[in-house]
Amino acid sequence: MVIACAAVVAASTAVAESQFYPSHAITMIVPFAAGGPTDVVSRIVAEHMAKALGQDIVIDNIVGAGGTIATTRVARAANDGYTLITGHMGTHGAAVPLYPNLAYRPDADFEPVALLAGTPIVIVARKDFPANDLQQFVAYLKANTATLNVAHAGVGSVSHVSGELLNSILNIKPTGVPFNGTAPAMKALAAGQIDYLCDQIVNVVPQINAGTIKAFAIAAPERNPALPEVPTTAEAGLPAFQVQAWNAIFAPKGTPAPIIAALNAAVGKALDDDEVRNRLLALGSVIPGPAERTPEALMALVRGEIAKWTPVLGHAGK
Ligand code: MLT
């Protein structure tokens, strides 16, 4: 009886408090290094969300294990709306088959808040990589697998999972070099210390515009307006390589519905803001339409990713 009362009191207090949400700064955890695609998308949207919510949103980069360390921390955080995470196709999808003892369930330990942006994958290589198109790249890769390395942001990250898919399509196993995010990985690629990388377009566009790396193809059904000269993998002869990466906000399970609704509305306002849209589109992001912006749509996306990647990656986690 006492416990039941305590639960009712706690729930009503949380709901009561949600009326004044947010009453202080919110922490948004980014599970990868600053300056990378997940960080950049988070900061662009969070900046506008903070204005709509009237409180600061503090970005905290907590790295490691392909983003699963930070994601575990948020799964266990207080569900009061003041700790959020930007998860993605890896942390909230592909990590499941790759980490048999994963300490969280992406489709059960979180409240989905909203999808932020789609971030198609581009195959990029160091500037002096001896290939001028995807066919030459694939041929060189197959002939020199033993001496080539591919960067990624840790097991289960988008860049790792995309690299694993490419490996399985080409039946190759180059050396993987892990980083705490694709920001440092891209730096190593631009410096010629790494041979190639499958990365989210948001992190690729500035480097292509600066001429520091080369791009062979985008793993999407259509070319991207931010990289009009980069062919699709289908155009370039590797139609099987398709990866629709994305980044989204999640809160700990049990975060009150009015708080989720307020956060979701703030994301919606941000994604409708011209300045936010222009910044995201200039980096090649795909901005979700209204139907894709609901918490329910995000949960369906998470469940779809777990179902999709488990047969593709199940072997890799053993
Ligand atoms: C990042 O922000 O560094 C990426 O999202 C990492 C990845 O998943 O490849």
Side-chain angles (χ1 to χ4, degrees), residues 154-167:
V155 172
S157 64
V158 165
S159 45
H160 172 253
V161 168
S162 308
E164 284 291 316
L165 178 63
L166 189 62
N167 289 350

Side-chain angles (χ1 to χ4, degrees), residues 55-56 80 107 109 125 164 166 203 223 228 238 247 301 307 311:
Q55 290 289 346
D56 288 344
D80 56 8
D107 58 346
D109 296 331
E164 284 291 316
L166 189 62
N203 203 33
R223 291 192 181 207
L238 197 65
N247 289 271
L301 184 60

Side-chain angles (χ1 to χ4, degrees), residues 32 36-39 88 153 157-159 181-183 200:
F32 297 100
T38 300
D39 184 73
H88 64 18
S157 64
V158 165
S159 45
T182 55
Q200 296 166 69

Side-chain angles (χ1 to χ4, degrees), residues 4 13 37 42 48 63-64 67-68 88 90 92 171 193 212 245 248 255 291 298 307 312 314:
T13 313
S42 301
H48 193 280
V63 301
T68 59
H88 64 18
H92 285 71
N171 195 20
Q193 296 154 353
T212 57
T255 302
L298 179 53
V312 178

Side-chain angles (χ1 to χ4, degrees), residues 101-296:
N101 304 313
L102 193 61
Y104 61 87
R105 295 161 301 160
D107 58 346
D109 296 331
F110 297 90
E111 301 294 345
V113 172
L115 183 61
L116 297 180
T119 47
I121 295 298
V122 185
I123 302 174
V124 294
R126 58 182 159 81
K127 187 91 189 115
D128 59 355
F129 194 101
N132 298 315
D133 61 30
L134 188 64
Q135 289 307 313
Q136 292 178 7
F137 169 75
V138 167
Y140 190 86
L141 200 47
K142 286 183 171 176
N144 301 278
T145 305
T147 59
L148 291 173
N149 56 46
V150 55
H152 61 75
V155 172
S157 64
V158 165
S159 45
H160 172 253
V161 168
S162 308
E164 284 291 316
L165 178 63
L166 189 62
N167 289 350
S168 68
I169 292 169
L170 300 180
N171 195 20
I172 59 168
K173 198 74 184 131
T175 305
V177 181
F179 291 82
N180 282 330
T182 55
M186 185 61 81
K187 216 164 160 211
L189 188 75
Q193 296 154 353
I194 287 286
D195 297 309
Y196 73 100
L197 166 67
C198 300
D199 199 6
Q200 296 166 69
I201 193 168
V202 169
N203 203 33
V204 167
V205 169
Q207 300 299 329
I208 292 292
N209 293 346
T212 57
I213 62 171
K214 57 173 71 173
F216 292 118
I218 184 168
E222 280 144 27
R223 291 192 181 207
N224 190 288
L227 291 177
E229 74 294 345
V230 177
T232 66
T233 48
E235 287 175 300
L238 197 65
F241 188 61
Q242 299 286 328
V243 186
Q244 301 315 318
W246 45 270
N247 289 271
I249 298 177
F250 298 85
K253 185 71 182 172
T255 302
I259 291 179
I260 300 296
L263 290 166
N264 181 276
V267 171
K269 280 199 192 113
L271 295 180
D272 288 339
D273 175 78
D274 287 345
E275 194 220 334
V276 169
R277 294 178 70 83
N278 292 340
R279 291 174 69 189
L280 291 173
L281 292 171
L283 293 171
S285 312
V286 179
I287 298 177
E292 298 165 291
R293 294 183 193 178
T294 65
E296 295 73 24

